[in-house]
Amino acid sequence: MVGDWLARREMLTPHKVALVDAERGNRPVTYREWNRAANRTANRLRSLGVGRGDLVAVLSMNCVEYLDIWFACGKLGAIMQTLNWRLTATELSALLGDAVPHVLIYGSNFNAQVNAIRGAVPSIKHYSALDGDNMVAPDDVAFAERDYCPDDAPPAVALTLDAPWAICYTGGTTGLPKGAILTHGNVAWNSINTVVSWGLVPTDRTILNSPLFHTGGLNVLTAPLVHIGGTSIVCKGFDPAQVFDFIDNGDVNLYFGVPTMFVAMQQHPRWDTADFSRLRWVISGGAPCPPPIFERWWERGVEFKMGYGMTESGPNTFWLPSEEVRRKPGSVGLPLFHVDVKAIEPDGSECAPGEIGELLIRGPQVVPGYWNRAEESAQTIVDGWLHTGDLARRDEEGFYYIVGRLKEMFISGGENIYPAEIEAVLAGHHDVESTALIGVPDAHWGEVGCAIVTVRSGSAITAEGLLDYARERLARFKVPKQIIFTDSLPVTGAGKTDKRLLMELYGQGSPAGKQK
């Protein structure tokens, strides 16, 4: 049956704990309870006029209700539009105006944005408040009214695998973010690839604290664990102390996060005493992970893996087998069971082992395109191959390594410079908190590297000291010609370093007083 995952999961394992609601005293929710809640949600949305093909926008921190909405949309053939709560009201209005949702469901943290949006998007017929006691307007609908709806499944909708289920926005650095269309087939095949290739089992339990507006929150482990009958602990957001609580209590054996989360954990006082013995593995995604981060996990006996994925690719694409984790440091591994990948030269020919080229991905988990972006869809997905814009190489044994972004690469004195490589080395210095490398004009070399760096509190590191560190670890042509210290690095709406803004700020070199 396409669409109603929870009905099938209730049928197979009704009493298995599906979710743990960390915001309500770690309340367990069985698959039967979750399916009935999703049914009530679907029936309520249906009473508001939501049907097949209609959009339901969600602006909220993580919560169990967010997941109820997602699977309720699946039952109705409706489409969930995820909204990045880091965006401004102006940016949100643009996305809503583009997608024309029928309903906007919001959390009380975002009342100000909703108040600013109200009236700007005529398609929105109903505003629904997750916190019924804290609504923006008196005629808004309390989400809790769904509790008075029947918990029987709504009338079945005939869906095919190419029916859209969710829109997740990519973290672009120029213009309006693009809404990748995740179909029922995309979600299902990503789940199949993950379960089969990563070896998920029904006893697996994870912490869901990556934002649900991002494909990482929805699809790295959440949907696959529903497929296999596992358990997700739903947290409002990332709190390192809370993560350590769940790890120490043995409540979790798998964990997905992004490098900034792992850095925060390693800087936390509980890092040295945490009991990691019950963790099967930890996987990092979303951005390149510097070696010092995963090496510290290895020192604690944890199988820490590098991951790679894009919203457009499912996102899960590779897997690094356990026996290869330390033999292939920095590798994202081998393509998943039903995924084809290759790296290509600018002329379209496939790269030989060791050569660097653009990574292309093909498979049933690749999205059909972007919402209302036909031209960009056609440019990105060509003959079934997703052109990622990322640079990769494979070794003689077929293991892949992500080198950086195609658009971020620059040429210095005829040599290709890949910022991710240099950033990983600089991040290995114990005084460096975060770093980003950009190419800046140079009369002799054409372009040279300029590293923008934030340092840990109390650090006395100088630019020359950091350059000396880099010279010991990098070929001469790769060493940045300039270090700029700053208090913080700007980020995009998706939480990634905003290289475009860094180019605007520092693209001509160091502002006065910024370099040590």
Side-chain angles (χ1 to χ4, degrees):
M1 181 190 298
V2 177
D4 204 344
W5 285 39
L6 293 184
R8 291 301 178 97
R9 184 41 63 195
E10 179 192 352
M11 181 176 67
L12 293 170
T13 54
H15 305 299
K16 177 73 188 300
V17 173
L19 306 173
V20 174
D21 190 344
E23 297 307 304
R24 295 184 176 93
N26 295 330
R27 176 179 66 93
V29 180
T30 66
Y31 277 104
R32 170 165 289 169
E33 291 169 332
W34 187 13
N35 183 45
R36 303 299 169 84
N39 283 343
R40 292 192 296 273
T41 305
N43 286 319
R44 181 56 177 145
L45 290 173
R46 189 164 171 262
S47 74
L48 296 176
V50 175
R52 179 175 181 172
D54 291 325
L55 273 80
V56 176
V58 184
L59 180 63
S60 171
M61 303 291 287
N62 287 8
C63 58
V64 167
E65 290 80 3
Y66 205 133
L67 295 171
D68 294 346
I69 295 161
W70 185 27
F71 284 92
C73 285
K75 294 171 183 281
L76 295 173
I79 307 165
M80 183 174 73
Q81 180 189 14
T82 65
L83 295 173
N84 184 337
W85 39 258
R86 296 188 180 102
L87 300 180
T88 65
T90 300
E91 292 168 315
L92 292 169
S93 294
L95 296 181
L96 291 164
D98 180 60
V100 294
H102 186 80
V103 175
L104 171 60
I105 301 172
Y106 63 90
S108 58
N109 305 66
F110 310 105
N111 283 7
Q113 291 94 318
V114 172
N115 190 49
I117 289 166
R118 187 179 300 276
V121 187
S123 70
I124 300 176
K125 306 303 179 187
H126 301 282
Y127 291 80
S128 181
L130 288 171
D131 180 359
D133 294 327
N134 193 3
M135 295 191 292
V136 175
D139 57 347
D140 285 358
V141 177
F143 184 81
E145 289 183 14
R146 58 105 182 234
D147 293 338
Y148 302 104
C149 294
D151 59 11
D152 296 327
V157 179
L159 297 173
T160 55
L161 290 173
D162 60 357
W165 189 357
I167 298 175
C168 285
Y169 289 88
T170 60
T173 56
T174 58
L176 195 68
K178 300 186 294 290
I181 304 167
L182 276 65
T183 68
H184 284 268
N186 296 150
V187 177
W189 278 106
N190 175 76
S191 179
I192 292 167
N193 279 327
T194 305
V195 170
V196 170
S197 306
W198 292 13
L200 301 187
V201 294
T203 53
D204 283 333
R205 296 168 62 93
T206 194
I207 304 169
L208 173 53
N209 55 14
S210 296
L212 284 168
F213 63 71
H214 191 276
T215 187
L218 295 174
N219 290 310
V220 170
L221 284 171
T222 307
L225 285 176
V226 174
H227 223 160
I228 199 67
T231 304
S232 293
I233 303 171
V234 185
C235 303
K236 183 177 181 179
F238 172 69
D239 175 356
Q242 185 182 52
V243 173
F244 281 119
D245 285 342
F246 289 127
I247 289 174
D248 281 336
N249 292 338
D251 296 320
V252 56
N253 68 336
L254 309 177
Y255 186 49
F256 160 74
V258 300
T260 54
M261 295 160 67
F262 296 122
V263 169
M265 291 181 67
Q266 291 173 358
Q267 293 176 347
H268 196 276
R270 293 174 62 179
W271 169 261
D272 291 328
T273 58
D275 180 4
F276 295 124
S277 62
R278 288 177 288 265
L279 284 176
R280 276 217 291 148
W281 45 257
V282 170
I283 191 165
S284 175
C289 187
I293 296 176
F294 57 75
E295 288 169 356
R296 288 196 68 190
W297 284 90
W298 292 353
E299 292 168 2
R300 294 300 314 277
V302 178
E303 191 175 294
F304 187 101
K305 302 169 187 280
M306 290 277 288
Y308 170 85
M310 295 178 66
T311 306
E312 297 92 330
S313 68
N316 301 336
T317 307
F318 294 98
W319 180 246
L320 188 61
S322 299
E323 61 272 18
E324 308 293 354
V325 169
R326 301 198 183 205
R327 193 171 76 91
K328 301 284 187 178
S331 174
V332 293
L334 304 162
L336 303 188
F337 202 96
H338 297 286
V339 176
D340 294 327
V341 300
K342 61 181 179 180
I344 64 166
E345 302 281 6
D347 64 5
S349 61
E350 188 166 359
C351 294
E355 294 179 342
I356 294 172
E358 183 184 6
L359 180 67
L360 271 59
I361 303 172
R362 182 176 66 180
Q365 82 293 342
V366 172
V367 303
Y370 303 111
W371 189 264
N372 288 340
R373 300 285 189 95
E375 184 176 340
E376 291 179 72
S377 299
Q379 293 171 350
T380 303
I381 303 169
V382 182
D383 296 329
W385 287 97
L386 170 67
H387 289 244
T388 66
D390 286 315
L391 293 166
R393 64 174 175 86
R394 62 182 170 91
D395 64 19
E396 294 284 351
E397 296 177 280
F399 289 80
Y400 278 79
Y401 298 76
I402 306 302
V403 177
R405 289 290 294 169
L406 182 62
K407 292 181 180 179
E408 293 177 4
M409 186 200 81
F410 60 92
I411 299 174
S412 183
E415 297 281 0
N416 290 348
I417 305 296
Y418 304 103
E421 178 187 12
I422 289 87
E423 290 164 356
V425 169
L426 295 178
H429 193 288
H430 59 82
D431 281 336
V432 172
E433 189 170 72
S434 60
T435 182
L437 187 83
I438 59 174
V440 299
D442 182 83
H444 181 72
W445 301 109
E447 282 187 296
V448 295
C450 173
I452 299 93
V453 177
T454 69
V455 297
R456 304 193 192 287
S457 176
S459 168
I461 186 69
T462 64
E464 192 57 34
L466 187 54
L467 289 173
D468 285 341
Y469 176 86
R471 291 183 186 110
E472 295 174 1
R473 294 161 175 82
L474 291 169
R476 183 176 177 181
F477 70 88
K478 297 179 183 179
V479 176
K481 297 299 185 288
Q482 189 175 35
I483 302 289
I484 296 175
F485 292 96
T486 185
D487 293 334
S488 63
L489 295 180
V491 295
T492 66
K496 298 182 181 181
T497 302
D498 192 337
K499 291 285 184 82
R500 180 187 60 79
L501 183 54
L502 288 177
M503 286 297 298
E504 292 178 7
L505 294 172
Y506 307 115
Q508 299 304 314
S510 174
K514 283 290 184 179
Q515 183 171 356
K516 288 185 181 178

